[in-house]
Amino acid sequence: MGVIYVMVPAALLFAVAAVAAFIWAARSGQFDDADTPPVRILHDDDPSP
Amino acid sequence: MPPEQAVTPCTHCGTPTPSVGVALGIHVFCCRGCEAAYALITTCGLDRFYALRNAADTRPVTNAPHDFAAFDTEDFRRRHVRTVAPGALEADFLIASMHCGGCVYLLERLPRLVPGVEEARVNLHRGVLRVRWRDDAVALSAIARVLDALGYTPRPPDPTARHAARTQDERRELVRLGVAAACAGNAMIYAVALYAGAFEGIDHAHATLFRYLSLAVTAVALAWPGRVFFRNAWAALRTRTPHLDLPITLALVAGAVWSVISTLRGEGEVYFDSLSVLVFVLLAGRLLQRRRQQAGSDAVESLFSLTPPSARKATPEGLAVVSADSLVAGDEVEVRAGDSFPADGLILAGSSAVDQSLMTGESRPAQVARGDAVLAGTVNLTDAVRVRVERSGEATRLAGLVRLLEDAARRKAPIVLLADRLTGIFMVGMLSLAALAAGAYLFIDPARAVERAVALLVVTCPCALGLATPLTLTVALGRAARRGLLIKGADTLEHVANARTILLDKTGTITLGRPTVVRWVGDESLRPAVASLESRLAHPIARALCEGITVPPHLRDAADVHHTTGGGCRGVVGGHALIVGSPAFVRGSTRHTDTPCARALLAEAAKAAREGLTPVLIAAADEPAALALLGDAVRPDAAVAVQTLHQLGFTVGILSGDHPEVVATVARVVGIDPALARGGLSPEQKLAYVRARAADEAVIFVGDGVNDAAALAAAQVGVAVHGGAEAALAAADVYASKPGLSPLVDLIEGGRLTMRTIRRNLAASFIYNILAVIGTLAGFITPLLAALIMPMSSITVLSIALRGAAFTDRVRRPATRTEPTPKGGPAWA
């Protein structure tokens, strides 16, 4: 079970990386507007003139 | 009541429009503005807007066009316009009336509507449209005019840093929530390993590793996201005011100290998972609630959008366009017909009719002449007037109303999440019980003392309790939103369920809020010609006469149109001279006023005036030939809704700024006890009355105007109805995006059902916890079994919350309801 001493810190590192990515995304404003994108996706296929 | 008329929804905004006349096309419009907007949208090939939009949210484009000349001034450019590339400019606009997918679709296709615009991006969350355009191709005022014609009046954003600060706050909250979620997740994984170890057997070294790991992640959870609770608790201690974060902090600290000691000693149990999950659940509940509440409150500042952005100031060199906030007392400004007044002032020259309904609730326009006072935000309807500014900016009565509104909103009792309150108390209770149990077992059976205490703590993890209320509320709020009821605060439903008194504003709430033709006496065939003549004017009476009438092409040209303020107008339509106006005006300008027909019409007009209706006499060929009777008609669903409210056990009353006699008449029509109908109230009196009632009991106040805003904020539940002013929207706890009073019935039934579900949920989790505590103390439940039972309670609570019937079609409805069922399937899935 010695592998646990490698796997658990590795998993923790992944978690830290994910949290860091989330913090970066939140701070750069990617979650500021959660209302428009789900609506916009409905009409992105509109043909341009 | 009007005779039976065919009522068709306006093609653009869906306002029910009486369709009179013969040659009806497929399209019916409630007003010229809607017709123009429809033409603009369809000629640019953007018809999909009508498929995408939420019909209930589109508002009629009845506003007279605003003046955007100030958008091109140097001053405005310096403050609001950025240069993003050579020749390309960018600016943000606040647009209050964006709600749905159709709005996003239409606004983001602005480049197709206005050549020269390069890009338009919508942010629905903040209600902001960002426009980029080529400076040499199009003027900003031209872009603004197109937006205005579509019903999206653009306003320059608040230049202060408040928005930026709020965005930063929101991001920080989100980061905290993310960190708390990650910590909680990891702590739970380690807890599973430890529980499994307790059952299957685990190396002491491994157990120690997992304990230290969960200690580490919980330390992060407490030190970073959890700091909010500690800070609030510390502030509460220093100011000696009770705060719900105090018991939460106590629970967190006690749990943490206990667990840290256990970890360091290498024996005894740890509760790091419960602690980090608690931090996460509480933060998530608060974030959800904050977002809901903030969504509408942005609109407070938009009250100032009632004053125009620019004013036409008289200078020695002639009239100059200046921004309205630069006006000072003593300035002289010209206000054209259709504009709103930029400041409070006195009329120096000219006379006109002024729509003051926003300030007074009075639906009939007031006549003003030299020497009369006018208020900022009210609309000049018929003629240009010169005004000397008396008070501007912060000193106006409008600004005073805004302060009143903010004050009323602040005085409201602080919102306390029921779940927060209960969880805190519950945690403290459980910790003391666990300590007591451990103490007692030390005497009875020392070997099992710690195990029992731990099982107790695990089995009574507050997840279920903490989840029950916010989950039920969130489900209810989401379903309500899909039914056209936007509820800002979770506590609102609690108040709705408790309230037994409902006070209604009259103008715009019980009535339509604008004059409509309630009766037509005499020659019906004159209506298209009258509509053609009146379509030249901005007066509400003129609009009422045009409403729903399709003018045949041969009557489209009206020549020699002359208009007399406070009287009426004359012109030649289709080769026939036509005079339309007050009986006095028409009698004074017509020769044959003594025919039997004319006498009958004049007698009818005099009678109608006594009933509170506005008579408009129509003369063709120099003889009075028809009479239109205008009034603020009661909404078709009002009487039924009032009846239902009575059945639900409510006391229904009216608070109105309109004349007491008019209010009493309306009360009789809809079935409200005239003793409870109070008229002639100023906004301050409304506020005082609502405050007095709200001190004794939960009160629901329903209104739509700026004059209702403070009272809306003061009532436990303020409901703004469809089409109301932005200020009312901002002050209200609930916004009904469907017109009429029937959404109220929905709201009350839904609120009561939600509270019933919450109580059922709390009862379920309490019964579960009591059984678990008894089982644990009696020794039936080991820590492992406790860990297995724990999720069961959460699942129970979850399913009760999702099965709640509030705001679904499963609610039994009184047979008398007439409103059409909303589109879409059942609101739950």
Side-chain angles (χ1 to χ4, degrees), chain B residues 460-517:
Chain B
T460 55
C461 167
C463 285
L465 200 60
L467 271 176
T469 314
L471 196 69
T472 314
L473 284 174
T474 309
V475 169
L477 294 184
R479 286 178 187 163
R482 265 176 282 174
R483 294 180 79 89
L485 283 165
L486 305 177
I487 301 169
K488 285 192 214 156
D491 61 326
T492 304
L493 286 174
E494 198 180 337
H495 291 309
V496 166
N498 293 334
R500 289 292 176 276
T501 300
I502 189 160
L503 300 168
L504 306 169
D505 170 50
K506 182 188 75 74
T507 313
T509 305
I510 303 179
T511 66
L512 294 171
R514 58 193 157 86
T516 49
V517 178

Side-chain angles (χ1 to χ4, degrees), chain A residues 1-6 8-9 11-12 15-16 18-20 22-49, chain B residues 45-46 48 52 100-102 104-106 108-109 112 121-126 167-168 170-172 174-179 182-183 186 190 203 205-206 209-210 213 217 224 291:
Chain A
M1 285 296 273
V3 70
I4 214 158
Y5 293 105
V6 182
V8 169
L12 252 186
V16 168
V19 169
F22 175 78
I23 292 174
W24 168 79
R27 287 200 176 146
S28 62
Q30 297 193 34
F31 301 110
D32 282 0
D33 178 18
D35 302 328
T36 321
V39 170
R40 189 179 283 140
I41 200 169
L42 292 176
H43 35 74
D44 268 353
D45 54 350
D46 192 51
S48 297
Chain B
L46 298 176
R48 265 190 78 196
L52 288 166
C100 63
V104 177
Y105 172 79
L106 191 58
E108 297 203 335
R109 269 143 198 81
R112 278 160 70 173
R121 291 294 271 189
V122 168
N123 181 332
L124 269 185
H125 183 59
R126 281 179 57 214
T167 310
Q168 287 303 323
E170 272 178 15
R171 289 178 188 174
R172 257 198 298 276
L174 207 57
V175 166
R176 275 202 290 265
L177 188 67
V179 173
C183 292
N186 281 288
Y190 303 139
D203 262 12
H206 290 159
L209 171 70
F210 284 122
L213 280 170
V217 290
W224 187 350
R291 287 221 159 174

